[in-house]
Amino acid sequence: MTQDNDDADDLELFRQATRGARPITSDRADTGKPRSDRAQLQALRQRAVQPQQRTRVDGLSDHFVIDVAPEEELAWTANGVQESQLRKLKTGQIPFDGSIDLHGMNVEKARELLWEFLAEATKLEVRCVRVTHGKAQRKDGRTPILKSHVNTWLRQHPKVLGFTSCVPRHGGTGSVYVLLRREMLEGRDD
């Protein structure tokens, strides 16, 4: 047998095998995956390259959050705050003139409201406020999220001199008294 005979036999076998076959009209294979929605993908791409609405620069960082336990008592003072002031704050001897309840909120909403609340309190020259953050143990067993964030944020706020967990009648370990820095205004007589 020669090479030409082998080639002719192969060609004839091929023609017999493909008789009745139709040419493929698509050059894409069906992988079984659902087709992607092109309009939805385009919308997602456009949103990804658009600038966010606005970035709020408030000085409060979430990059390093100090985890605290639900029943853990919080206490912190900035440099220069006397120990006697912290003791008075801890025992509720410094009256608070404002209060905010953050528990049950998501972290971003709580952060925004806390920042606005502290700004308003310092503008009004308030000396002490109460912040209720809650202390619920999370379902996954991890530390309370808002309590940990509030503990971290208050340490970063430039107007916070110190804070400590409240006495039980004011919320106990689910709230903190916050001592604020005040600017001395002319004509104030206290």
Side-chain angles (χ1 to χ4, degrees):
M1 254 182 160
T2 64
Q3 180 68 22
D4 290 334
N5 268 349
D6 287 341
D7 289 341
D9 289 340
D10 288 343
L11 186 57
E12 185 56 35
L13 286 173
F14 178 75
R15 284 186 181 140
Q16 286 174 6
T18 58
R19 188 169 295 131
R22 289 176 285 144
I24 297 174
T25 57
S26 172
D27 63 348
R28 296 183 183 248
D30 182 8
T31 61
K33 289 184 186 177
R35 290 185 164 254
S36 57
D37 181 1
R38 289 180 187 251
Q40 182 184 14
L41 284 175
Q42 185 63 25
L44 288 171
R45 285 185 184 122
Q46 284 177 346
R47 269 188 263 139
V49 296
Q50 289 177 348
Q52 296 297 327
Q53 294 165 344
R54 70 181 165 104
T55 301
R56 184 180 190 125
V57 179
D58 58 14
L60 303 181
S61 171
D62 290 326
H63 291 297
F64 178 72
V65 176
I66 303 163
D67 285 335
V68 292
E71 295 300 327
E72 185 176 339
E73 286 195 16
L74 303 180
W76 175 86
T77 57
N79 288 335
V81 176
Q82 296 175 353
E83 189 69 30
S84 62
Q85 285 292 94
L86 183 64
R87 240 186 339 274
K88 285 180 182 177
L89 189 64
K90 187 173 186 157
T91 57
Q93 293 177 22
I94 301 174
F96 58 91
D97 294 320
S99 186
I100 188 169
D101 187 350
L102 303 174
H103 81 285
M105 294 182 188
N106 68 38
V107 172
E108 281 308 310
K109 183 69 174 170
R111 174 190 181 131
E112 182 180 325
L113 289 177
L114 178 62
W115 184 262
E116 290 170 2
F117 175 72
L118 293 176
E120 183 69 18
T122 54
K123 184 172 116 182
L124 296 173
E125 294 286 312
V126 171
R127 181 176 184 209
C128 181
V129 295
R130 178 180 64 176
V131 176
T132 301
H133 45 68
K135 58 183 179 179
Q137 185 80 18
R138 291 172 29 195
K139 290 177 185 167
D140 59 7
R142 293 176 44 211
T143 56
I145 213 164
L146 272 185
K147 182 174 182 177
S148 297
H149 277 81
V150 167
N151 178 49
T152 302
W153 294 335
L154 291 176
R155 293 167 189 255
Q156 299 169 3
H157 198 287
K159 296 293 184 178
V160 173
L161 292 173
F163 61 90
T164 182
S165 292
C166 294
V167 295
R169 73 177 184 274
H170 291 151
T173 58
S175 298
V176 287
Y177 300 121
V178 182
L179 189 62
L180 298 172
R181 181 182 320 272
R182 295 188 297 178
E183 307 298 325
M184 298 308 274
L185 295 176
E186 284 187 46
R188 197 168 81 191
D189 53 347
D190 62 273

